[in-house]
Amino acid sequence: MPHFIAEYSGNLENSIDLPGLFEKVHDTLGASGVFPLGGIRSRAIRMDTYRIADARHDYGFVHMTLKVGAGRSLAVRQEVADDLFAVIKAHFAPIQEQRLLAVSFEMTELHETLNYKHNNIHSFLKNQGAG
């Protein structure tokens, strides 16, 4: 954990830099000191069936979710979320200057008991000296 998921309207396919966004997200989360690098994952889901507002314009949307494991205080989660949303807004600012675009973000905390993981990436990175 955490998992960063970006859902986006298909009409943005050629205008948003998702690999660049993911790099910024991983850098921000890694630098926070809250999450180990080996647990950070990002992915995008293109939405081809959607409707935005009155559907009269070429509106676009990107909705992002950061799913985190339980156990961190609200203050810590809010600080990370505030920092990450600032990065997200900066990333999409040039696009919003050119087109109608709704950008949203939420952080959700997963249930402490009903969240199962099995991961050998942490030990690999530790052995590589990458944390």
Side-chain angles (χ1 to χ4, degrees):
M1 281 289 141
H3 290 210
F4 182 79
I5 303 159
E7 298 175 78
Y8 66 97
S9 54
N11 63 343
L12 298 175
E13 182 72 27
N14 296 318
S15 61
I16 57 176
D17 175 16
L18 291 170
L21 174 64
F22 293 165
E23 181 177 357
K24 293 170 189 173
V25 166
H26 284 238
D27 288 348
T28 301
L29 294 176
S32 73
V34 176
F35 305 104
L37 182 61
I40 304 170
R41 294 164 184 68
S42 293
R43 57 191 172 273
I45 303 166
R46 177 186 161 132
M47 305 304 238
D48 289 320
T49 305
Y50 59 90
R51 181 182 170 109
I52 303 169
D54 59 12
R56 292 183 181 167
H57 302 279
D58 189 29
Y59 303 116
F61 77 86
V62 183
H63 175 71
M64 292 144 287
T65 304
L66 182 67
K67 296 182 178 188
V68 301
R72 294 167 185 92
S73 71
L74 176 59
V76 167
R77 293 192 321 265
Q78 184 170 3
E79 183 177 345
V80 169
D82 289 348
D83 291 347
L84 191 55
F85 193 51
V87 168
I88 289 166
K89 289 191 303 184
H91 181 83
F92 288 107
I95 298 166
Q96 281 187 313
E97 291 174 7
Q98 298 173 7
R99 64 171 305 140
L100 297 165
L101 176 64
V103 175
S104 56
F105 167 71
E106 67 178 321
M107 178 187 284
T108 61
E109 183 180 49
L110 301 175
H111 191 277
E112 63 185 286
T113 304
L114 301 176
N115 178 20
Y116 302 88
K117 296 176 244 159
H118 185 71
N119 180 346
N120 64 359
I121 297 171
H122 293 289
S123 60
F124 173 80
L125 288 174
K126 185 176 182 179
N127 290 332
Q128 298 294 312

